[in-house]
Each structure stands twice: as structure tokens, then as C-alpha cells.
Amino acid sequence: MIAYVKGTVADIAEDNAVIEVNGIGYNVKISADTAARMPGVGETAKLYTYTSVREDAVWLYGFLSGNDLEIFKKCITVNGIGPKGALAILSVLDADSLRYAIMSGDVKAICRAPGIGARTAERLILELKDKVKIDDSMIEREIENTGAAAAGIGDTPQKREAVEALVSLGYGQAEAVKAVNAIEGIEAMDSGAVLKAALKKMF
């Protein structure tokens, strides 16, 4: 199996990158999130890869970090979620966001992925909640904050109101908390300004 591909970015699209290595161009399937973080054409990139072998095709799926690859491989162990579905999920949620969406049971956040319905999202959460490890202290704090917000407890009224507004707009609890917590200078802002700033971080 190919552990990773390192070479020059020859072409890049929302769902595919071509990495040239010693004169050979490798087509690598990538998520929209990975595409947004990829180096530009002509620059060097290293993608950690998963090889999918089917009767009619062999595909490489690439990720910028081992962390991304790890959660992808966990997703495809869930019945009904193949490589295409896992990549769709990681196109709307980065690896860390997906981890605490699973830990917090945020079905709505996972359902934002094309082709992923509520039942599939619930099955993903059920099967992976005991397999997802929280090694990053920041992620752990985000999960705690998510739980606090869900219980009606927040650091400031502005945060609580902004999270509630985002959830009412259809965003998941976990991603709403993450967006609000990423805003700087929130203490000097009213709830309307916090909401606007959080919405900008959603795009």
C-alpha cells in the first residue's frame, strides 16, 4: 500500500489533486476541506493516502495529516459509509470538528454532508463514540463548552445567544460553539455582532 505521496502539485480541484512524483502524475481524491488547505499549483505537497481497491477501479484518497487519515479510516468502518461518504463528511467538517461532533452527538452537523442522512449520522456516532480519542486539550474544552451551551450555560450572554441563533438557523451545536469560541474580542461585542462574526467563520 502507498503510505503517502510527496511531490509537486500539478493540478487541484475541489475533489481531486494531481501530484507529480518523478514524472508520474497521481490522481488523489481529496475533500473540499483538504482542497482549501492545499499548497498551490507548482508547490510541494505531501498527502497521506488510503488505497481503495475495487473490481473496476483503484483510487487513492489523500489527506494533509495523519489525523485526517485516521478519522477517515474510522468512518469507513461504519456500515453504509464508504470512502466517498467519508470524504463528503470531511468536506463539511474537518477532522477535529468531526471528532467532537461524534462525542457530543451532533447529528445535524454530520448530516450537512451530501448523501448522509440522519440514520447514517446516528449510526456513525453510535459506532465511533467509544473509538474517538481526545488527545488535544483544545478539543476537550470545545466539547465541554458544547455541553455547557446545550445546558443553557455559557461564558457570556452574547455567546449563549449567538450559539442558540446559529442552531436555530440549522447549524449543529458543536460547530456553532466552535465558531463562536473562535471570535476575538467577544466581550466588547453585542449578540448581533457576535452572530455576524460567527456566520463569517462558517464560510
Side-chain angles (χ1 to χ4, degrees):
M1 294 295 178
I2 301 173
Y4 64 84
V5 175
K6 183 178 181 180
T8 303
V9 179
D11 189 25
I12 187 167
E14 184 178 352
D15 61 353
N16 189 81
V18 178
I19 308 297
E20 183 178 342
V21 183
N22 296 326
I24 300 175
Y26 291 88
N27 270 314
V28 185
K29 295 289 185 182
I30 58 175
S31 69
D33 177 70
T34 296
R37 295 185 287 123
M38 282 281 290
V41 173
E43 298 184 35
T44 299
K46 179 179 180 180
L47 292 174
Y48 296 86
T49 56
Y50 172 83
T51 306
S52 173
V53 181
R54 297 172 51 182
E55 292 183 1
D56 57 345
V58 177
W59 292 104
L60 280 179
Y61 292 83
F63 308 88
L64 288 171
S65 72
N67 180 38
D68 293 345
L69 176 58
E70 179 188 351
I71 194 67
F72 171 84
K73 290 167 73 174
K74 281 184 168 63
C75 286
I76 62 176
T77 66
V78 177
N79 185 34
I81 300 180
K84 184 178 180 180
L87 211 62
I89 294 171
L90 288 169
S91 288
V92 298
L93 294 169
D94 62 31
D96 287 347
S97 296
L98 178 55
R99 276 189 169 86
Y100 59 72
I102 291 169
M103 294 298 293
S104 63
D106 195 339
V107 173
K108 285 186 178 180
I110 298 171
C111 283
R112 287 180 58 208
I116 303 298
R119 288 186 179 180
T120 302
E122 289 169 358
R123 185 163 57 247
L124 178 76
I125 291 168
L126 180 64
E127 294 188 22
L128 296 187
K129 65 180 180 181
D130 295 328
K131 299 177 182 179
V132 172
K133 296 180 180 179
I134 306 172
D135 298 321
D136 191 318
S137 60
M138 182 186 73
I139 300 173
E140 188 170 7
R141 287 196 301 271
E142 290 290 350
I143 294 172
E144 290 172 353
N145 288 338
T146 300
I153 303 169
D155 294 341
T156 67
Q158 301 99 301
K159 281 189 176 183
R160 286 200 304 273
E161 291 173 11
V163 168
E164 290 170 1
L166 288 169
V167 171
S168 70
L169 290 172
Y171 293 100
Q173 186 82 42
E175 62 179 341
V177 171
K178 181 183 178 183
V180 170
N181 283 345
I183 300 169
E184 297 181 0
I186 199 169
E187 295 80 6
M189 302 165 67
D190 61 28
S191 57
V194 173
L195 177 58
K196 289 180 181 178
L199 284 169
K200 288 181 180 180
K201 293 185 178 295
M202 294 290 192
F203 298 98

